[in-house]
Amino acid sequence: VRRLKQDKSFLSREDDHLELVPHTIPASKWERMRSALCCRVMLMMLSVFEAESDFEGAMQQLLRDISGSPWMLQVLEPHHVRALLGRLSVVPTRLEHEQLCTPIGG
């Protein structure tokens, strides 16, 4: 989680780090690749919070940073955002399951 806090400037920068180099691949293919890469980065960031069962952190930090990014929501496709929200919605369930399975006193 500390690493994410250090790297959150990645999302807040004005440029999107993924600009098309002219004459390399068709623009439509580049847009699909860029969108898929942004989704992958977003889901990897979520996995940090999932590993810690940190639903509150994901809600307060990750979603705030993604929604505050000047470019991330423009690049992501709706099904990518649904994938994020679907995985995020399971984190509290996982937390409850872990709490129920933890032996008393340990």
Side-chain angles (χ1 to χ4, degrees), residues 50 55 84-97:
E50 288 174 322
F55 178 71
L84 170 74
L85 295 176
R87 280 182 50 183
L88 183 62
S89 69
V90 178
V91 173
T93 306
R94 224 180 284 163
L95 179 62
E96 290 170 6
H97 178 72

Side-chain angles (χ1 to χ4, degrees), residues 4-36:
L4 281 177
K5 290 179 182 176
Q6 294 171 349
D7 291 340
K8 76 178 198 175
S9 64
F10 168 78
L11 294 174
S12 62
R13 290 181 50 168
E14 287 296 323
D15 59 332
D16 67 9
H17 307 283
L18 299 171
E19 296 177 12
L20 177 62
V21 176
H23 310 295
T24 53
I25 60 173
S28 61
K29 185 173 184 175
W30 175 252
E31 290 302 317
R32 288 192 309 273
M33 289 172 51
R34 185 171 82 149
S35 180

Side-chain angles (χ1 to χ4, degrees), residues 53-68:
S53 295
D54 187 4
F55 178 71
E56 292 297 323
M59 291 293 293
Q60 293 174 4
Q61 182 180 350
L62 180 62
L63 292 183
R64 181 193 64 225
D65 292 344
I66 290 172
S67 66

